[in-house]
Amino acid sequence: LRFAMAGTATPGEGEGGMSLAVVETEEEREARHQAYLKRVRDAEELEVKLRKIQEDVPTKICNTTGSTAGSGSGSFHTYRTQKRRDQIRQQALEQELKRDREQAEFDARKDELNRIDESRTAKNRAKRQKLKEKKLAKRKSKGGGGAPQQGEPAPPPLARGGQGTDAEKGEDGKIGAAAKHVFSQPRQ
């Protein structure tokens, strides 16, 4: 293979007008074609050999004594072995079928119980929500409770751990009976 420059370049352009082209000679093209033909011939020969091997090699058949009619007493042991193998195979198939059937029943029952549980949960959720809305409506109708409305001052925070406001603290600096009395009265 040869590389050749194609195009012309003027002194001010630099290499902008040039491009590189691959030029293959006639001998190289012929050599490449001959290599291709050789690969095709080798593949055809390999297919012929493979076909001959497949035709000449006999296929082995394992279960030749399907019936015991006309067989001698020496083939009884072979028959008994084959029968035992077949019985084991049949048992395995039946056990697998039984296991699959039981698993399908289990999954169906599990799905049914999950569906029932979900419906009960949804029913109880709706019931709780309804009671919550009822209580909220009842509080709003009485005018008290619930979150403070706009314009209403928020109630003072409850004292925790003996730390109240100065008005709640007694002479000794602790929350006294007067402060407890204030917290036990209902808000207005």
Side-chain angles (χ1 to χ4, degrees):
L1 294 177
R2 288 183 302 144
F3 297 97
M5 301 292 277
T8 58
T10 57
E13 289 180 16
E15 291 184 332
M18 300 295 244
S19 65
L20 198 58
V22 178
V23 179
E24 187 176 37
T25 63
E26 192 62 35
E27 294 121 5
E28 293 169 339
R29 188 176 298 136
E30 184 62 29
R32 193 168 44 92
H33 183 68
Q34 290 300 324
Y36 168 74
L37 291 177
K38 184 178 183 309
R39 285 194 309 268
V40 169
R41 279 192 306 271
D42 290 344
E44 289 174 352
E45 289 174 9
L46 188 62
E47 279 186 19
V48 169
K49 287 179 183 177
L50 184 61
R51 202 174 308 120
K52 182 171 177 16
I53 290 171
Q54 287 176 343
E55 291 171 359
D56 291 346
V57 174
T59 304
K60 185 177 179 183
I61 299 173
C62 295
N63 187 13
T64 56
T65 57
S67 172
T68 58
S71 62
S73 62
S75 63
F76 172 73
H77 304 291
T78 306
Y79 164 75
R80 187 175 55 184
T81 306
Q82 288 177 352
K83 183 178 177 182
R84 186 174 43 82
R85 271 195 220 123
D86 192 48
Q87 286 174 343
I88 291 171
R89 185 182 64 86
Q90 291 292 336
Q91 286 176 351
L93 289 174
E94 289 172 5
Q95 286 176 352
E96 184 179 345
L97 183 63
K98 182 181 176 184
R99 189 173 41 247
D100 290 346
R101 200 176 298 134
E102 288 174 354
Q103 185 65 38
E105 289 173 6
F106 173 77
D107 290 341
R109 178 73 175 148
K110 183 178 173 185
D111 291 343
E112 178 69 20
L113 291 175
N114 284 341
R115 189 183 57 77
I116 290 170
D117 285 346
E118 184 61 35
S119 67
R120 283 183 189 162
T121 304
K123 183 180 174 184
N124 290 341
R125 187 182 308 122
K127 194 175 181 181
R128 282 193 308 273
Q129 186 65 28
K130 189 176 178 182
L131 287 174
K132 190 175 180 182
E133 289 172 1
K134 232 184 209 182
K135 281 184 181 180
L136 190 61
K138 190 175 183 182
R139 284 183 187 168
K140 285 185 179 181
S141 67
K142 287 187 177 180
Q149 302 294 327
Q150 289 182 353
E152 290 184 23
L158 298 177
R160 295 190 181 170
Q163 299 174 357
T165 61
D166 290 335
E168 297 168 351
K169 291 181 182 178
E171 297 160 2
D172 59 351
K174 295 183 179 176
I175 297 178
K180 290 180 183 173
H181 179 69
V182 170
F183 288 121
S184 63
Q185 292 178 352
R187 286 189 230 161
Q188 296 180 359

